[in-house]
Amino acid sequence: MKKVNILATASVANLVCGFDVLGMALADPADRMTMSLTDSPGITITHEDSYGLPLDPEKNVAGVALLALVEELKEKVGFHVTVNKLIKPGSGLGSSAASAAGAVAGANVLLGNRFSNEDLVRFAMMGEKLASGVKHADNIAPGLYGGITLVRSILPLDIVRLSFPPLYVTVVHPQIEVKTSDARQILRNQVQLKDAIRQWGNIAGLVTGFLQKDYALIGRSLEDVIVEPVRSILIPGFVDVKQRCMAAGALGGGISGSGPSIFMLSIEERTALKVEQEMKEIYSALGIEFRTYVTRICDKGIKVTEADS
Ligand code: HSE
């Protein structure tokens, strides 16, 4: 293939209790990218959106991920990438991860699938490092592996794809920007043992709930006593959204990644739609612009298909 189309899915990192280790790919929204091999080496980037993201590959999340891939290839190749971002940067929906993981997934197909998924995660993490100052794979892994993933370790990489029962995901994105780097800086460096115990009980419970398709256990485990109490102050309406969505029948939910988006899981579509209505009412009353999505977990993750050259 000489040219590919890439649908780079959004993702919800942390899944409430699993800071930096759990994540899930969403069917919607997704960035649209095209990528082609060029005759001369080097990486060129064009944006079709209006976010004004850097074009210099060294300063662009997709660019640095591709530079890491090319370095390992030890062969002179060039790529041209066109990006149309439909996942707004700073939304908490894995926008930087979609660009970085989408680019390396596309490059891999153009190169005849020479790299493993694990390699691609390693390259794409360079994009996350550029975006937030820290390598984390909880948005990248679900994009590249699909569905829900556990990043047990990043050094060495140990990623486990989890099975999960049918679920609907409702997301509200209040139109304020929260930079992941800022949302990480406000976190405390130390946690109390009692909080750590509660948190790892919840992570184990959530993973078990997904694997055993136990909705009640999933709901009980969607609790975060470490990160949410600090970060939620950055999100107007957060407490209300949680309370009213749970009252409307959601299993549970919380901050999507580093925010400001909030996600809720529901068993049935009609509940997911009721949850969306609650979210709409809350942000309309607050006078804050917002965007909502009612979507599913994307089982396949990032999609790469041949494009007409
Ligand atoms: N785990 C990361 C964080 C995800 O919460 O900072 C960022 O999208």
Side-chain angles (χ1 to χ4, degrees):
M1 285 188 210
K2 282 271 185 275
K3 188 172 178 189
V4 289
N5 289 326
I6 304 153
L7 207 57
T9 51
S11 52
V12 172
N14 303 337
L15 292 180
V16 184
C17 52
F19 181 68
D20 274 4
V21 300
L22 291 175
M24 90 186 154
L26 298 180
D28 186 43
D31 286 349
R32 289 171 189 278
M33 307 165 77
T34 60
M35 224 172 136
S36 46
L37 279 167
T38 54
D39 295 333
S40 46
I43 291 151
T44 49
I45 301 165
T46 313
H47 285 290
E48 287 181 340
D49 48 62
S50 53
Y51 294 118
L53 295 169
L55 298 177
D56 175 354
E58 306 258 2
K59 295 185 180 134
N60 179 291
V61 293
V64 290
L66 286 172
L67 287 170
L69 177 146
V70 170
E71 194 181 312
E72 205 147 303
L73 202 58
K74 301 210 173 4
E75 205 179 283
K76 290 211 180 312
V77 292
F79 297 105
H80 178 66
V81 196
T82 307
V83 189
N84 183 6
K85 289 207 73 64
L86 301 176
I87 313 166
K88 202 170 175 183
S91 58
L93 293 171
S95 180
S96 54
S99 296
V104 294
N108 199 34
V109 171
L110 289 168
L111 295 167
N113 293 308
R114 285 193 235 174
F115 293 107
S116 67
N117 262 344
E118 221 171 76
D119 293 329
L120 299 182
V121 170
R122 253 187 319 111
F123 304 142
M125 275 200 299
M126 299 311 288
E128 292 296 58
K129 190 164 178 224
L130 179 71
S132 69
V134 186
K135 281 188 186 175
H136 58 92
D138 49 343
N139 289 105
I140 291 166
L144 290 166
Y145 287 70
I148 298 180
T149 51
L150 164 70
V151 182
R152 196 200 60 82
S153 152
I154 59 164
L155 244 163
L157 264 181
D158 187 359
I159 295 169
V160 186
R161 196 181 184 282
L162 306 177
S163 61
F164 53 90
L167 283 162
Y168 286 85
V169 189
T170 314
V171 177
V172 62
H173 173 202
Q175 304 286 296
I176 48 173
E177 189 186 351
V178 174
K179 284 201 163 58
T180 299
S181 48
D182 296 340
R184 294 184 80 91
Q185 235 157 28
I186 60 168
L187 297 177
R188 288 188 286 261
N189 283 328
Q190 295 189 330
V191 294
Q192 290 193 16
L193 185 61
K194 70 172 175 48
D195 290 337
I197 292 167
R198 194 156 179 108
Q199 197 86 354
W200 58 56
N202 280 327
I203 299 173
L206 187 58
V207 169
T208 308
F210 286 138
L211 298 180
Q212 296 189 346
K213 309 194 184 333
D214 182 337
Y215 288 118
L217 180 57
I218 292 172
R220 290 201 299 284
S221 308
L222 287 167
E223 179 196 52
D224 174 5
V225 294
I226 295 174
V227 176
E228 182 184 289
V230 181
R231 281 187 172 171
S232 56
I233 50 176
L234 301 174
I235 309 171
F238 179 79
V239 175
D240 246 12
V241 170
K242 239 182 126 169
Q243 271 169 3
R244 284 178 52 182
C245 293
M246 299 287 290
L251 281 177
I255 304 171
S256 175
S258 55
S261 292
I262 306 169
F263 80 102
M264 287 285 152
L265 298 180
S266 302
I267 304 174
E268 290 182 29
E269 188 175 20
R270 63 190 166 95
T271 314
L273 291 167
K274 263 167 70 184
V275 164
E276 181 189 34
Q277 200 47 42
E278 297 292 340
M279 291 169 165
K280 283 181 172 174
E281 281 172 21
I282 290 168
Y283 284 103
S284 302
L286 285 173
I288 296 174
E289 281 187 37
F290 61 91
R291 172 98 213 249
T292 55
Y293 303 90
V294 177
T295 184
R296 306 296 302 256
I297 300 170
C298 181
D299 205 27
K300 298 262 180 289
I302 293 166
K303 215 166 116 191
V304 183
T305 48
E306 186 161 14
D308 304 330
S309 345

